[in-house]
Amino acid sequence: MERPFREKRLPTGESLEKNPTYWNAKAWRSLESALALTPNTRRAKNVILFLGDGEYPLPVSEEGQPGEWVACGFGAASGTYNVDRQVPDSAGTGTAYLCGVKTNAKTLGVSAAAAYGKCNTTWGNEVTSVLHRARKSGKSVGIVTTTRVQHASPGAAYAHSVSRDWYSDGDLSKEAARQGCKDIAYQLVHNTDINVILGGGRMYMTPRRTPDPEYPADPKQNGTRKDGINLIQRWLSTKEAAHYVWDKEGLDAVDENSTDYLMGLFEPKDMKYELNRNASTDPSLVEMTEKAVRILRRNPNGFFLFVEDEVDHGHHSGKAKQALTEAVMLDRAVERAGDLTDASETLTVVTADHSHVFTFGGSTPRGNSIFGLAPKKAEDKRPYTSILYGNGPGYALHNGSRPDVGAVATGERWDYRQQAAVPLDVETHAGEDVAIMAKGPMAHLFHSTQEQHYIAHVLAYAGCIEPYHADPACPVPLVPENRSGSPGLTPHALLAALSLFLQL
């Protein structure tokens, strides 16, 4: 088709944006790209789910341009509510987008028939994640997160727990321990054969009073397990070609070509914000993602990888620069994973689990720092920042007056806490729909507005993962040669597994 609009050379010094031709041509280029979109209807060998925990709105690059995932190709909106809450938490949402069913807040890997904190309601109400089912199908699987690996979002990939806070057995209630419930760290090692586990959470894996390798003089960082089990050693003892690392040097030294299993735990609890990270001792999200992909992609059956960046905690503390810097890091991880995989056989999905009471406004002019001040003062004759929170620790009304934020270099401080309208110790989640962006095989199945649990079903369908594995278009999994771990299921076993799944 002949181009209806052509850019014209403008006089020197004249802004392109002042000329209608610039906008018409820009729109035509976008339209051309849209017209060229052809749904890839083959099944995906690899599936990567990127989650910006609490990431809202869409991320932008440092230059203020749309991030890598905005250009993914296909998109939809995701309804995030839990069964029992209008405004969700990360456990209920994790169960939705990983297990394919909505459930109650604060619960992991169980249906809404299970009651929060009631151990005996776990049994019979377990639901399995697409990551777990991908491993059963013969794919390699991995988890990468900047939180503790036992946290709500990654925990939904392998755990069945009526409390997201049961990180170690020391966190179980007496009733839960008596009734036989297992903590999330224990389930990490015993429930699913996970090839790559990278994030924080060392203290929940070792016995009480075990010194932390990075902070040996700080007893607050010691192990917390009451059962005396070293889960790291137990995990290593059941694997071949397996490695455990706890710092960047160890991660860098891992040879991905001879490693089938890797556990890297880089902090006692959550990993540090990117702006606080020691780049010489702690790996970045991008570095962890790259190592995971390089290990997982060796499997001829492909892989399933879940990558989470903790945007959420920055928002909870009311520190927008911390949160938005994490969003940029997730964008870079998406880009790096794309460099390392074949887009024609890899379904890449990027989404958030929920939003926050976070706003960006004030009629700021183009070129103004988003962390700066709005151009006009408020009714109280004092300046205000472009970014504000609806509630949280940034509430700053004293004796009827707000502090003068103009006296603070808000744009230069990574730890600046934006003002909030309602005083709370911790800023809250919000209930808006969030974006789903996707590219690769079956990405076109993400369209319009969907419930959040739909995500897990598309991931499973695209990857020929139970219960969608018996489709004639799905290949019979290969048995990886010279690889440890479970082989692929036979066709007979696949049909048996489908029958079992449909009975749940």
Side-chain angles (χ1 to χ4, degrees):
M1 182 185 297
E2 182 179 352
R3 296 177 68 89
F5 303 106
R6 299 182 185 278
E7 290 110 326
K8 297 178 181 179
R9 180 169 294 182
L10 300 176
T12 302
E14 183 175 351
S15 170
L16 290 174
E17 295 183 353
K18 293 181 179 179
N19 192 304
T21 302
Y22 167 81
W23 296 107
N24 290 332
K26 185 178 177 71
W28 170 244
R29 288 195 299 272
S30 297
L31 184 57
E32 276 187 314
S33 297
L35 290 168
L37 282 175
T38 302
N40 180 347
T41 57
R42 66 183 292 184
R43 296 304 177 88
K45 177 181 178 181
N46 311 313
V47 178
I48 308 178
L49 175 60
F50 287 93
L51 182 87
D53 191 310
E55 185 163 17
Y56 181 82
L58 291 175
V60 294
S61 69
E62 295 94 325
E63 293 77 27
Q65 299 302 314
E68 177 74 17
W69 74 327
V70 178
C72 276
F74 295 91
S78 169
T80 62
Y81 63 89
N82 298 147
V83 168
D84 61 341
R85 289 191 181 181
Q86 293 176 328
V87 177
D89 88 317
S90 293
T93 53
T95 302
Y97 61 73
L98 282 170
C99 301
V101 299
K102 289 213 173 198
T103 191
N104 298 322
K106 299 185 178 182
T107 65
L108 292 171
V110 292
S111 73
Y116 169 67
K118 301 295 183 181
C119 172
N120 61 0
T121 67
T122 306
W123 325 126
N125 294 318
E126 301 95 333
V127 292
T128 57
S129 76
V130 65
L131 179 144
H132 180 84
R133 289 178 266 134
R135 189 69 182 110
K136 288 176 59 181
S137 76
K139 295 183 185 294
S140 293
V141 299
I143 292 170
V144 172
T145 179
T146 54
T147 67
R148 62 202 83 180
V149 295
Q150 306 87 357
H151 210 257
S153 301
Y158 58 83
H160 310 290
S161 178
V162 291
S163 174
R164 59 176 288 177
D165 297 322
W166 290 347
Y167 298 123
S168 80
D169 63 336
D171 299 314
L172 292 171
S173 66
K174 291 182 180 179
E175 179 184 51
R178 185 172 61 252
Q179 293 177 345
C181 276
K182 296 298 184 180
D183 60 274
I184 298 169
Y186 184 94
Q187 295 187 58
L188 170 66
V189 170
H190 292 87
N191 283 11
T192 303
D193 183 36
I194 305 175
N195 298 87
V196 177
I197 303 168
L198 299 176
R202 286 193 297 254
M203 66 164 48
Y204 309 113
M205 306 292 283
T206 57
R208 282 184 173 179
R209 292 184 290 278
T210 301
D212 185 83
E214 189 172 4
Y215 313 103
D218 184 357
K220 293 181 179 179
Q221 311 303 330
N222 287 354
T224 62
R225 299 202 63 78
K226 296 170 60 177
D227 57 15
I229 298 174
N230 187 316
L231 290 175
I232 297 170
Q233 292 302 322
R234 177 168 291 189
W235 183 83
L236 285 169
S237 69
T238 63
K239 313 295 182 188
E240 297 179 9
H243 299 280
Y244 167 71
V245 298
W246 57 269
D247 63 2
K248 184 179 184 300
E249 182 180 4
L251 182 68
D252 292 342
V254 171
D255 180 4
E256 58 264 18
N257 295 314
S258 61
T259 300
D260 291 344
Y261 291 92
L262 174 62
M263 178 184 288
L265 303 177
F266 305 106
E267 285 290 334
K269 292 183 179 179
D270 298 327
M271 295 181 68
K272 293 181 172 64
Y273 292 117
E274 176 61 22
L275 291 175
N276 300 82
R277 181 175 66 90
N278 184 329
S280 64
T281 60
D282 300 326
S284 69
L285 179 72
V286 178
E287 291 165 337
M288 291 192 294
T289 300
E290 176 168 350
K291 185 66 72 172
V293 171
R294 288 188 182 278
I295 292 173
L296 299 176
R297 70 181 182 180
R298 294 169 49 233
N299 188 332
N301 291 317
F303 65 85
F304 180 97
L305 175 62
F306 174 69
V307 180
E308 178 202 26
D309 196 8
E310 192 60 29
V311 179
D312 181 76
H313 288 177
H315 283 316
H316 279 316
S317 64
K319 298 177 181 179
K321 195 161 189 174
Q322 295 279 26
L324 297 184
T325 301
E326 295 303 318
V328 171
M329 293 305 294
L330 184 71
D331 185 65
R332 292 177 181 173
V334 173
E335 182 177 18
R336 187 67 187 123
D339 294 339
L340 296 169
T341 53
D342 184 344
S344 69
E345 62 182 20
T346 303
L347 173 62
T348 299
V349 179
V350 191
T351 189
D353 49 355
H354 54 75
S355 62
H356 278 266
V357 289
F358 168 86
T359 65
F360 173 43
S363 301
T364 52
R366 288 281 296 281
N368 193 66
S369 169
I370 63 172
F371 301 109
L373 301 175
K376 295 182 179 180
K377 293 183 178 181
E379 291 296 316
D380 60 6
K381 308 302 181 184
R382 295 190 172 187
Y384 63 97
T385 54
S386 302
I387 291 174
L388 295 167
Y389 287 94
N391 60 47
Y395 179 85
L397 194 65
H398 300 293
N399 297 322
S401 299
R402 291 186 305 120
D404 186 351
V405 298
V408 182
T410 58
E412 302 299 322
R413 289 178 47 184
W414 56 263
D415 62 343
Y416 176 74
R417 179 169 278 152
Q418 278 76 13
Q419 292 182 348
V422 175
L424 291 176
D425 289 341
V426 177
E427 179 265 359
T428 71
H429 298 169
E432 297 97 342
D433 292 353
V434 298
I436 310 169
M437 306 301 294
K439 66 179 179 181
M442 297 296 171
H444 63 285
L445 297 180
F446 290 107
H447 65 97
S448 68
T449 299
Q450 304 290 345
E451 296 287 8
Q452 193 169 48
H453 73 289
Y454 175 74
I455 296 172
H457 288 263
V458 175
L459 301 180
Y461 181 83
C464 287
I465 297 166
E466 184 183 321
Y468 304 106
H469 54 294
D471 190 282
C474 292
V476 176
L478 300 171
V479 178
E481 297 182 1
N482 301 320
R483 298 292 304 277
S484 58
S486 60
L489 300 177
T490 64
H492 176 76
L494 289 174
L495 292 175
L498 175 61
S499 298
L500 178 63
F501 182 85
L502 293 176
Q503 293 172 13
L504 295 179

